[in-house]
Amino acid sequence: MMKLLYTLLTLFLYLNSLGQIKEYNFQEFEPLLHKQTDSIYVVNFWATWCSPCVAELPSFEKLNQNFKNQKVKVLLVSLDFPKHKESRLIPFVKKNNLQSEVIFLNDVNANAWINKVDPNWSGAIPFTVIYNAEQRKYYERSFNYEELIKETYLFLTHRTKQ
Amino acid sequence: MKRAFIITIGLLFTLSTFAQTGYKVGDMARGFELKNIDSEMFSLRQFKSAKGYVIIFTCNHCRYAKAYEDRIIAIDQKYKKLGYPVVAVNPNDSTIEPDDSYSKMIERATEKGFTFPYLLDADQSVFKRFGATKTPHVFVMSRGDEGLKIEYIGTIDDNYADASEVKVKYLENALDALLAGEKPDPNFTKAIGCSIKYKKD
């Protein structure tokens, strides 16, 4: 009986966690910008109410879907307001059925960490970092799908040469 | 091959030079004249006794900008009488961001009771000259015999989400330093903001 309850509880927690979005402060988040694996990471800073960010999300989703087998991983880093995580961010991710990994960066003292992402970043979103173990590039701009795969492809070809 | 390399490096250098345009702290700046929400052209010279100006590129639609509206009003009320009035400039193209149209600016300023000029950078030349990249983006200028000088660029404080949790008031500290005859320290900070909406050439 206890075992059954335990199993049900685990299952419940698991199902519950599906709708959750992991929250980080910058210190916890920073390692995600420096993973040393054979994957290519496409890290996009965005917010649900930022219209150019939302406009380019489908391109990132498409990239994540179409380049899965090439080990391209898209990470969508939300900079929504902390008070809007439950009321806006989670519903937005559900409603748009986002398949890329979404995390919430809750660190409102941005002056302390913007330069640690990229000293040339002014702080404007949308902002994107593409990196792998060998190289990285920063983009303070919006993307359409073609521009995004072109940039990602440069990383793929670079990797093949290694 | 070598030639192509040199051309590429040259091109990259040119591109990065373009990317670096805009004022830096210590630069002398030109003033500007833009249309205010009262339909009149507003020039910085209209603040006759100003010791300097707090130029804030801001707008209607951006949540980060909205989160700072009350704080900007409070800063204007505190520092205008000390000689540093706020001048707000909306740099966005309303054909891209309809919420930042001239009429919406009037609505928002009325609703919030803005105590400062709220100007439209209609041809988007002023934000480019300053090198503003986002809203909100602050440039403090002092006014001396030699003209206008950029003294501080950056953020208002260290908490965009919650005014009651602010620990460091970067902008007010910079203004207090200037009023005390000192240089702001830090004189350059950063904040997360909304990219400025303009048509790419």
Side-chain angles (χ1 to χ4, degrees):
Chain A
M1 186 61 191
M2 281 305 282
K3 202 172 172 186
L4 180 68
L5 271 178
Y6 182 74
T7 314
L8 282 174
L9 183 68
T10 313
L11 186 69
F12 173 75
L13 288 174
Y14 170 72
L15 289 173
N16 216 20
S17 73
L18 290 178
Q20 295 303 307
I21 287 172
K22 208 167 168 202
E23 191 168 322
Y24 295 81
N25 62 31
F26 186 77
Q27 201 187 351
E28 295 159 344
F29 164 73
E30 197 173 13
L32 303 186
L33 290 173
H34 300 280
K35 286 185 171 182
Q36 296 287 320
T37 71
D38 60 349
S39 293
I40 293 164
Y41 296 92
V42 180
V43 184
N44 173 250
F45 294 84
W46 70 293
T48 56
W49 48 264
C50 160
S51 52
C53 305
V54 170
E56 66 177 7
L57 277 182
S59 300
F60 285 89
E61 282 284 278
K62 210 166 150 186
L63 180 80
N64 188 59
Q65 186 60 39
N66 294 353
F67 285 78
K68 240 177 200 151
N69 297 335
Q70 278 77 41
K71 293 194 176 173
V72 173
K73 288 179 181 155
V74 171
L75 179 63
L76 302 175
V77 182
S78 157
L79 287 168
D80 278 88
F81 285 78
K83 63 179 178 190
H84 292 154
K85 186 190 169 194
E86 302 294 330
S87 61
R88 291 174 201 244
L89 177 60
I90 292 173
F92 181 94
V93 170
K94 275 187 187 160
K95 186 178 161 222
N96 292 284
N97 194 23
L98 297 184
Q99 297 300 303
S100 308
E101 186 180 0
V102 181
I103 63 164
F104 176 53
L105 179 54
N106 183 2
D107 201 327
V108 293
N109 183 9
N111 184 55
W113 55 260
I114 288 173
N115 284 347
K116 293 179 187 171
V117 176
D118 169 21
N120 290 321
W121 180 19
S122 82
I125 57 170
F127 184 80
T128 299
V129 183
I130 304 181
Y131 81 93
N132 60 14
E134 289 93 33
Q135 58 166 339
R136 57 181 54 237
K137 276 178 89 174
Y138 306 97
Y139 309 88
E140 185 167 332
R141 51 167 285 189
S142 298
F143 277 107
N144 63 34
Y145 182 61
E146 191 183 311
E147 293 161 345
L148 192 57
I149 53 168
K150 266 162 69 181
E151 285 300 325
T152 312
Y153 184 71
L154 296 178
F155 282 78
L156 282 166
T157 48
H158 179 81
R159 187 171 62 189
T160 332
K161 280 184 214 150
Q162 292 287 309
Chain B
M1 184 60 200
K2 194 178 170 192
R3 194 192 158 95
F5 179 74
I6 291 168
I7 292 171
T8 311
I9 294 296
L11 189 65
L12 283 175
F13 183 75
T14 316
L15 286 173
S16 63
T17 317
F18 274 122
Q20 295 292 319
T21 56
Y23 293 138
K24 293 183 292 298
V25 172
D27 284 354
M28 300 308 290
R30 271 194 293 132
F32 50 79
E33 193 177 53
L34 294 172
K35 192 173 164 189
N36 196 3
I37 44 172
D38 62 5
S39 299
E40 304 286 334
M41 293 303 283
F42 177 87
S43 158
L44 295 180
R45 286 187 295 270
Q46 283 169 242
F47 284 132
K48 289 197 175 66
S49 59
K51 296 172 184 159
Y53 307 95
V54 182
I55 312 297
I56 306 183
F57 293 91
T58 186
C59 66
N60 288 359
H61 89 275
C62 172
R63 298 263 176 180
Y64 299 118
K66 275 189 206 288
Y68 274 110
E69 285 171 333
D70 290 340
R71 283 177 261 185
I72 293 172
I73 293 169
I75 287 166
D76 181 57
Q77 286 178 323
K78 181 172 172 188
Y79 288 93
K80 183 157 39 193
K81 50 180 184 276
L82 298 172
Y84 280 88
V86 167
V87 176
V89 179
N90 168 20
N92 287 332
D93 181 339
S94 64
T95 61
I96 302 171
E97 189 55 72
D99 278 348
D100 289 330
S101 69
Y102 185 67
S103 51
K104 297 264 187 189
M105 286 170 65
I106 298 171
E107 286 173 15
R108 188 66 188 166
T110 311
E111 194 182 330
K112 292 300 296 183
F114 282 2
T115 53
F116 42 81
Y118 188 23
L119 313 177
L120 179 62
D121 187 7
D123 70 0
Q124 303 196 298
S125 62
V126 173
F127 93 78
K128 285 175 186 164
R129 176 148 58 82
F130 273 72
T133 58
K134 59 186 188 280
T135 53
H137 201 163
V138 180
F139 293 74
V140 174
M141 301 193 289
S142 61
R143 191 167 80 159
D145 296 335
E146 71 277 31
L148 301 168
K149 188 175 179 184
I150 304 290
E151 302 280 3
Y152 171 84
I153 300 175
T155 181
I156 294 167
D157 57 42
D158 67 351
N159 192 319
Y160 58 75
D162 187 348
S164 69
E165 293 288 322
V166 168
K167 291 186 187 71
V168 186
K169 296 180 171 179
Y170 291 109
L171 172 57
E172 293 195 37
N173 291 350
L175 293 170
D176 290 342
L178 290 170
L179 288 167
E182 292 160 10
K183 290 290 169 194
D185 180 26
N187 57 22
F188 184 83
T189 57
K190 288 185 179 181
I192 289 293
C194 300
S195 60
I196 290 174
K197 312 300 183 276
Y198 63 99
K199 288 198 183 72
K200 311 281 186 287
D201 297 327

